[in-house]
Amino acid sequence: MPQQRRHLLSLTAVTDEELFRLVERASGYAAASAAGDPYPKPLTGRVIGTYFKKTSTRTRTAFSAAALRLGADVIAYGPADLQENTGETTEDTGRVLSRMLDGFVVRTAGPDREIAAYAAQDRMAVVNAMSEGEHPTQALADLTTIQRLAGRVDGARVLYVGEGNNSAIALALALTRFKDTALTVVTPPGYGLPEETRKLAAGYARASGSAFACTHDLAEAPAADFVYTTRWQTTGTSKADPDWRDVFEPYRVDEALMSRHPDARFLHDLPAHRGEEVAAAVLDGPASVAFDQAENKMHSAAAVLEWCVAG
Ligand code: CP
């Protein structure tokens, strides 16, 4: 009987305890790596496929490097490689690959039902490496970064500034589960978090004794330990309004904004466009931990692969 695998499609399907353990485990990998210790090899003999239909520097490399460091072999598919391009269904693709692979890391940037279709089998773990609706493994890297810097995620006060995109959605679905946290999401009008995310995050925050607020007014933002932004043009998306830049312009994270949070660290999921969502002086300045955050994508990918594939 083949071993049943766990999928990571959405953080909403992960329990609080599983989420806390993933962040702890990723932080452990980061600490061990900083001490010069190699990863253990729990995935020796396993084969992981990666399929990125949209561009990726960090997530693709993070999962590939983590899989190799954990002892697995990796098969990488590009956007033009599979017979999906000639009409094979997503379900059939998942069923076939599940007979050969132990894990499948997919970036679709399409509707969430597309990634769920690969997971309509229970032999191969499917990991959402970013879909239109959520970027769950980004949030794990974000929380790992907070844990490494603050020693814990509980109590962290985060100010998110920018579009309510898939990274922001995942952040809201993850941070609010930790005790006594505060997440303020400041978005341009018309670009807020989806209503469903707001309801879920508000419910998580009530249960964990945390604060969760959404606003369009930066002046309303309370003091933060972390200021976080993402690129104005989320990978794989476009904006209908030709004048959208005018709407986003007041939401740049610059030195003036950071001076209102003098002890805050700066987070960015990258890639960045200096001069758009963030001033170069902030991204490249002393408060920025964006490149540690990028490295933590590999450590959190290791925790995810271990949990989904090795059990
Ligand atoms: N942050 C992030 O997902 O980066 P990539 O698009 O390079 O994977």
Side-chain angles (χ1 to χ4, degrees):
M1 184 76 181
Q3 183 190 336
Q4 192 160 342
R5 315 286 184 193
R6 289 192 188 95
H7 305 303
L8 176 57
L9 306 182
S10 167
L11 292 169
T12 58
V14 174
T15 68
D16 290 357
E17 288 66 32
E18 289 168 339
L19 174 63
F20 303 157
R21 273 206 300 274
L22 281 168
V23 174
E24 278 294 336
R25 189 70 179 151
S27 300
Y29 276 124
S33 180
D37 295 335
Y39 282 10
K41 305 283 183 201
L43 298 191
T44 300
R46 309 295 174 91
V47 183
I48 306 296
T50 64
Y51 184 24
F52 281 72
K53 300 189 190 187
K54 299 286 176 185
T55 53
S56 169
T57 297
R58 277 144 291 274
T59 314
R60 177 177 176 159
T61 308
F63 274 96
S64 303
L68 291 167
R69 286 170 189 263
L70 292 170
D73 291 303
V74 174
I75 300 175
Y77 307 105
D81 288 347
L82 298 183
Q83 294 286 21
E84 277 194 321
N85 288 323
T86 62
E88 186 163 31
T89 67
T90 304
E91 287 82 357
D92 285 355
T93 303
R95 286 172 68 186
V96 169
L97 294 181
S98 76
R99 304 298 181 109
M100 306 174 197
L101 300 177
D102 299 290
F104 192 49
V105 180
V106 193
R107 169 169 290 188
T108 63
D112 291 356
R113 65 175 178 279
E114 184 181 350
I115 203 145
Y118 294 112
Q121 44 74 33
D122 59 10
R123 298 166 67 129
M124 173 183 76
V126 176
V127 176
N128 178 358
M130 196 178 92
S131 58
E132 191 175 40
E134 198 178 322
H135 197 353
T137 66
Q138 181 62 49
L140 294 175
D142 301 341
L143 298 193
T144 299
T145 307
I146 292 172
Q147 165 96 21
R148 292 277 293 148
L149 289 164
R152 59 186 199 144
V153 180
D154 290 349
R157 301 173 301 169
V158 177
L159 167 61
Y160 176 89
V161 182
E163 189 172 20
N165 59 15
N166 43 24
S167 288
I169 290 168
L171 180 70
L173 295 176
L175 183 68
T176 50
R177 317 261 287 269
F178 287 76
K179 273 190 278 182
D180 302 324
T181 57
L183 175 62
T184 307
V185 178
V186 185
T187 57
Y191 296 93
L193 289 173
E195 185 61 29
E196 190 193 348
T197 305
R198 292 166 67 139
K199 279 188 190 151
L200 281 167
Y204 291 149
R206 269 195 302 279
S208 65
S210 295
F212 170 66
C214 297
T215 175
H216 302 307
D217 186 356
L218 263 173
E220 281 182 15
D225 307 309
F226 296 91
V227 175
Y228 187 173
T229 193
T230 65
R231 203 160 60 151
W232 285 346
Q233 296 183 87
T234 303
T235 302
T237 69
S238 58
K239 295 178 176 48
D241 176 6
D243 299 322
W244 65 267
R245 283 179 188 282
D246 298 340
V247 186
F248 276 70
E249 195 62 28
Y251 295 90
R252 177 173 301 114
V253 177
D254 56 15
E255 286 172 297
L257 195 160
M258 290 302 291
S259 72
R260 302 210 291 273
H261 306 275
D263 300 322
R265 305 295 189 100
F266 173 70
L267 295 164
H268 193 308
D269 64 348
L270 302 176
H273 281 173
R274 290 170 177 80
E276 285 199 357
E277 76 280 359
V278 60
V282 173
L283 181 63
D284 302 317
S288 175
V289 292
F291 292 88
D292 294 329
Q293 187 182 356
E295 179 186 324
N296 287 330
K297 287 185 68 95
M298 181 178 73
H299 303 307
S300 51
V304 167
L305 288 173
E306 186 182 49
W307 181 66
C308 289
V309 177

